[in-house]
Amino acid sequence: MLVSRETTETNSSDGGAANFQQSSSRGVRSSFPITLKFADVSYKVKLPDCSVKSRTRGLRNMFTGGPTTLPDLENPVAVIHHHQERTILNGITGWAAPGKILAILGPSGSGKSTLLNALGSRLHHGHGLTGSILYNNLSKPVTKKTGFVTQDDVLYPHLTVRETLVFCSLLRLPSSVPKEEKISVAESVINELGLSKCENTIIGNSFIRGISGGERKRVSIAHEMLVDPSLLILDEPTSGLDSTAAFRLVTTLCGLAAKGKTVVTSVHQPSSRVYQMFDDLLVLSEGRCIYFGKGSEAMGYFESIGFSPSFPMNPADFLLDLANGVCQLDGASEKEKPKVRQALVSSYNNLLAPRAKSASMDTPHTAPNERVIETTKYYGCTRHFSTWFNQFSILLQRNLKERKPETFKFLRVFQVITASLLAGFMWWHSDYRDVQDRLGLLFFIAIFWGVFPSFNAVFAFPQERAIFIKERASGMYTLSPYFIARVTGDLPMELILPTLFISISYWMTGLKPELSAFALTLLVVLGYVLVSQGLGLALGALIMDAKQASTMVTVTMLAFVLTGGYYVHKVPYFMSWIKYVSTTFYSYRLLINVQYGDGVGISTYLGCSSGRQDRATCKFIDEDIRGQIHPAMSVSMLMMMFVGYRLLAYIALRRLRA
């Protein structure tokens, strides 16, 4: 007998449940039970074409003993195309009811994750997916009432548990709900999932010490629980956990199911006590179903068709052996074992499949259709979500908290201070008349603050891709507030380190001892940093692969540096266009203009026109200082690049799909 969600909340003494009931009365939550039915679900993917050259094959067979049919001499390289498809799922049928846990068991590669993606509306008909999937007898997905927990925990590592869930609550719950109540919902979820002890601990990752694996998985579940989903789908939530942590996690899922939720989860190798907690069980083997029914009746079914373990063992281990085609029947030869899987599929099709299909169609749903439509519409309407500015402000706060530890970590600050001190000592109180050395210093500044910010920024979007796709799929925000918050949040932090660099190296190297010159130099460097950062963001968003993007930004900056004007003055004609799109070229010219102006003064002072100075120095003056473009042109080009690179990154993100 199922207990309704409302009854459970009313009679529960848990503080979190009480908060849920209070929130529901204000319209934050409108929970209703969902009966999930799926029949004959299949999924196929197309493989790359296989091309066979007939002449080559015919000649090879002549030497290897194969068929020696002569090839077509008029068409000696005839190509035969084979269009192949791979079946991931093949006619899966079953259902999941409110108040129960449906566990999908099977070895790696059996199709568990694909089936969950189909049930969670992450695969669509017409793209290889066939069959029917119904939610309370409706084919329209109720995505706003479905929580999907992926196998990998996609969380920000530097945020605490409480910050993670509070920010998620502020973004996912409707804008009509007061901020205090959204925070209260997050706190109630923390209490319900037993995260109170670690709520002020950062999430962490493989490189940063944080909460445990089991706690991290519960945070992922809490992410979805904030919207009080009626259908909760989890992809191998116990992977990587020890048996005790896995048992605690499944106990939590049982508690959620007891409140009227429909829970569907895949498991790889559960312990015996975890297995006993599953109400219904679906066993997959290479995309085919070999059992669907009650978990407690699985062993009896397989025993009835002649498959039973030769010694007492964990039922899950035995079922996985069968799904892998491994049979422990006494006297079974090695040649007979590969036939085990075929026998299991045949038995299922003859004994269980007809009953499963019939029962799937006859299973009553527990909520009227009209209520499903109304609730889906309620959650899908954009006016019930946060406004653009609210999304931007929340994302900006989250970005500042997440990025601060990474931006000001010891190694990065040490790198900048060390570079500034090296530059200061190498060009210690350089002489105004030593033009070559000073131009070398200015070009070093242009190189360092071109490569450093662009290389750091190129990892931004590839590293956040999984989080971005997941949160966009959940409807937490639109692209524009995320992008602008991401770019804006980086500005104050990315500009502090170059300010520190210039403040140290400028006075140590003895550059123009005027406050206005120092301010202009700093302004040029800060602007150049922002443009270089935009270049990194654009390349990262376009490529979306950290290694490939870092390679591309390295090659791009190398081209910009070589054509920047200091190393080579006479760039080959076919490469000369690069300098006009080079950020280094324009920033180097502006830095020169701040120190030497139009170059007339230094040229006259050194006597280049009268031949009193060496030829090399005068050549640098003529080609680097006096031969520069107008500063207004350099500023205009850098401003265009500042906007253009970020616009390119935004367009690239718009094309990004899960």
Side-chain angles (χ1 to χ4, degrees):
M1 178 179 180
L2 300 180
V3 182
S4 67
R5 169 77 174 173
E6 292 77 11
T7 304
T8 303
E9 291 180 349
T10 304
N11 297 333
S12 175
S13 60
D14 181 70
N19 287 335
F20 282 159
Q21 183 186 14
Q22 181 181 3
S23 300
S24 179
S25 64
R26 299 193 184 185
V28 179
R29 298 168 181 271
S30 180
S31 182
F32 59 91
I34 290 179
T35 299
L36 172 66
K37 305 176 185 178
F38 48 98
D40 294 322
V41 174
S42 299
Y43 183 69
K44 298 179 180 180
V45 294
K46 292 183 179 181
L47 299 178
D49 292 345
C50 296
S51 301
V52 181
K53 295 184 178 180
S54 62
R55 179 180 180 181
T56 304
R57 182 177 60 186
L59 294 176
R60 183 177 66 248
N61 290 344
M62 292 177 65
F63 291 98
T64 59
T68 56
T69 303
L70 292 177
D72 184 3
L73 298 180
E74 295 182 357
N75 186 20
V77 245
V79 178
I80 303 174
H81 293 280
H82 297 278
H83 298 280
Q84 297 182 354
E85 286 185 337
R86 181 184 176 187
T87 301
I88 308 298
L89 297 174
N90 193 333
I92 309 300
T93 298
W95 69 87
K100 294 184 178 181
I101 297 180
L102 169 62
I104 302 176
L105 185 67
S108 299
S110 60
K112 301 189 300 296
S113 297
T114 304
L115 178 59
L116 291 180
N117 285 325
L119 300 180
S121 305
R122 298 197 170 199
L123 297 178
H124 303 287
H125 288 80
H127 298 276
L129 179 66
T130 58
S132 63
I133 302 176
L134 302 178
Y135 309 86
N136 288 353
N137 288 346
L138 292 175
S139 59
K140 184 178 180 180
V142 283
T143 54
K144 297 303 177 183
K145 297 302 295 178
T146 300
F148 196 103
V149 181
T150 57
Q151 184 174 350
D152 298 323
D153 301 318
V154 184
L155 303 167
Y156 284 104
H158 293 103
L159 296 180
T160 65
V161 171
R162 190 178 191 278
E163 289 171 344
T164 298
L165 297 178
V166 166
F167 281 127
C168 182
S169 179
L170 293 175
L171 288 167
R172 294 194 72 172
L173 296 182
S175 58
S176 58
V177 180
K179 179 180 179 180
E180 295 76 12
E181 191 167 342
K182 292 181 180 181
I183 296 175
S184 176
V185 170
E187 291 173 344
S188 68
V189 171
I190 290 174
N191 294 330
E192 185 180 22
L193 294 183
L195 295 169
S196 301
K197 294 182 179 179
C198 62
E199 63 176 329
N200 295 318
T201 306
I202 63 172
I203 300 296
N205 55 23
S206 302
F207 306 100
I208 304 171
R209 186 181 180 89
I211 59 179
S212 66
E215 291 169 337
R216 191 177 295 116
K217 184 63 67 175
R218 275 185 280 160
V219 173
S220 298
I221 298 174
H223 241 271
E224 304 304 318
M225 292 302 300
L226 290 169
V227 293
D228 193 26
S230 299
L231 173 62
L232 183 61
I233 299 176
L234 307 98
D235 190 1
E236 296 197 13
T238 59
S239 295
L241 305 181
D242 57 58
S243 59
T244 302
F247 176 75
R248 291 174 178 172
L249 181 62
V250 177
T251 301
T252 301
L253 297 180
C254 290
L256 298 177
K259 295 186 177 183
K261 300 184 184 300
T262 304
V263 180
V264 182
T265 180
S266 63
V267 286
H268 180 64
Q269 197 166 7
S271 64
S272 57
R273 60 175 179 171
V274 167
Y275 175 85
Q276 298 297 329
M277 302 172 72
F278 298 142
D279 299 295
D280 298 317
L281 184 67
L282 189 153
V283 184
L284 293 178
S285 176
E286 291 188 342
R288 293 178 177 270
C289 187
I290 62 174
Y291 178 79
F292 175 74
K294 294 183 179 180
S296 58
E297 299 176 356
M299 296 297 288
Y301 162 75
F302 287 108
E303 184 176 355
S304 68
I305 61 175
F307 295 93
S308 60
S310 57
F311 57 88
M313 62 184 301
N314 179 2
D317 293 339
F318 177 69
L319 296 179
L320 283 173
D321 285 344
L322 292 180
N324 280 306
V326 178
C327 178
Q328 298 181 3
L329 288 172
D330 294 334
S333 65
E334 293 295 331
K335 293 183 179 180
E336 293 174 342
K337 290 181 179 179
K339 300 179 181 180
V340 171
R341 186 183 292 109
Q342 182 178 358
L344 291 170
V345 172
S346 178
S347 297
Y348 171 80
N349 290 335
N350 294 329
L351 300 176
L352 294 183
R355 287 189 295 173
K357 292 181 181 180
S358 176
S360 175
M361 295 300 100
D362 295 339
T363 302
H365 61 275
T366 55
N369 294 350
E370 295 77 12
R371 189 175 181 186
V372 176
I373 298 174
E374 179 184 356
T375 308
T376 304
K377 184 177 180 181
Y378 174 87
Y379 274 87
C381 186
T382 56
R383 66 186 179 89
H384 290 288
F385 285 95
S386 302
T387 62
W388 188 96
F389 181 78
N390 285 336
Q391 292 179 6
F392 166 75
S393 60
I394 295 168
L395 289 168
L396 179 60
Q397 294 176 48
R398 188 179 71 172
N399 185 61
L400 290 174
K401 283 183 175 292
E402 169 61 24
R403 294 277 295 159
K404 183 178 178 181
E406 188 69 22
T407 303
F408 298 112
K409 64 181 181 181
F410 173 77
L411 288 179
R412 182 172 293 189
V413 177
F414 174 77
Q415 181 180 7
V416 171
I417 294 179
T418 301
S420 64
L421 292 176
L422 285 174
F425 288 124
M426 288 291 294
W427 282 276
W428 177 262
H429 289 180
S430 60
D431 194 341
Y432 171 76
R433 296 168 295 181
D434 199 345
V435 177
Q436 294 184 49
D437 279 2
R438 284 225 168 174
L439 292 181
L441 169 62
L442 298 180
F443 199 69
F444 167 75
I445 295 175
I447 293 175
F448 186 81
W449 289 111
V451 174
F452 187 77
S454 61
F455 194 80
N456 289 330
V458 80
F459 297 101
F461 294 127
Q463 288 179 343
E464 292 187 4
R465 175 178 181 172
I467 297 179
F468 173 70
I469 291 177
K470 174 190 173 185
E471 294 182 342
R472 285 288 308 280
S474 301
M476 290 177 62
Y477 48 75
T478 55
L479 174 59
S480 57
Y482 164 81
F483 180 80
I484 296 179
R486 185 67 174 82
V487 173
T488 306
D490 288 345
L491 295 183
M493 293 183 288
E494 293 295 336
L495 298 182
I496 291 176
L497 292 182
T499 301
L500 179 63
F501 177 94
I502 295 299
S503 300
I504 295 174
S505 60
Y506 189 91
W507 305 109
M508 291 181 66
T509 55
L511 292 175
K512 201 171 182 179
E514 297 176 5
L515 189 60
S516 58
F518 168 78
L520 287 174
T521 301
L522 178 60
L523 188 62
V524 170
V525 171
L526 294 182
Y528 179 43
V529 166
L530 296 180
V531 175
S532 300
Q533 182 194 41
L535 172 64
L537 292 174
L539 290 176
L542 285 170
I543 300 174
M544 272 298 172
D545 181 272
K547 292 183 178 180
Q548 296 181 14
S550 62
T551 301
M552 284 302 302
V553 78
T554 302
V555 173
T556 303
M557 288 306 304
L558 178 62
F560 285 0
V561 167
L562 291 177
T563 58
Y566 181 79
Y567 292 134
V568 181
H569 291 132
K570 294 182 180 179
V571 181
Y573 180 76
F574 68 93
M575 296 183 64
S576 60
W577 62 271
I578 299 179
K579 73 177 182 179
Y580 296 110
V581 296
S582 170
T583 57
T584 307
F585 174 77
Y586 296 109
S587 61
Y588 176 53
R589 297 294 174 177
L590 287 174
L591 291 174
I592 292 175
N593 185 265
V594 173
Q595 297 298 318
Y596 291 103
D598 57 8
V600 175
I602 187 64
S603 178
T604 303
Y605 181 79
L606 294 178
C608 288
S609 58
S610 61
R612 291 187 288 108
Q613 183 58 258
D614 64 278
R615 182 178 179 182
T617 300
C618 292
K619 185 177 180 180
F620 267 98
I621 294 175
D622 290 339
E623 297 188 358
D624 278 34
I625 301 179
R626 300 191 65 180
Q628 63 179 312
I629 60 178
H630 196 277
M633 176 63 70
S634 298
V635 172
S636 300
M637 291 301 297
L638 289 176
M639 291 182 64
M640 290 176 59
M641 293 178 183
F642 172 83
V643 176
Y645 286 143
R646 284 164 172 77
L647 183 61
L648 183 61
Y650 179 80
I651 295 174
L653 290 179
R654 282 185 63 89
R655 300 175 60 185
L656 184 63
R657 293 292 183 268

